[in-house]
Amino acid sequence: AAAGKLLVVPVDGSHWLSMRELLDILQQKGHEVVVVAPEVTFHIKPAKNLRIKMYPVPFTQKELDEVP
């Protein structure tokens, strides 16, 4: 069997919640997964079993939380 390398740039929200499960399974099968995400998000948070690279954005978590 061979494993691959995956670079993931997810969309925040419910899409991420579904994708997170898939990424966990891929990692268990030996794939190397790197997630690139903004440092301010609704659901994408650092986790011990996920390699996440965060990049800066021009707004704060408070500003994002205030969006209706």
Side-chain angles (χ1 to χ4, degrees):
K5 294 182 178 185
L6 296 147
L7 177 63
V8 180
V9 184
V11 175
D12 202 2
S14 63
H15 291 85
W16 169 248
L17 299 176
S18 300
M19 182 179 284
R20 175 69 194 268
E21 290 183 41
L22 175 64
L23 297 178
D24 287 340
I25 293 168
L26 288 170
Q27 281 188 317
Q28 290 171 11
K29 298 204 177 272
H31 297 280
E32 181 182 342
V33 179
V34 176
V35 178
V36 179
E39 63 187 4
V40 176
T41 68
F42 287 116
H43 298 291
I44 305 169
K45 304 296 180 204
K48 64 180 180 179
N49 63 337
L50 262 185
R51 190 167 160 204
I52 299 181
K53 300 285 188 175
M54 305 294 250
Y55 60 88
V57 291
F59 51 88
T60 65
Q61 186 70 49
K62 182 180 179 202
E63 292 170 322
L64 181 63
D65 292 340
E66 291 173 353
V67 173

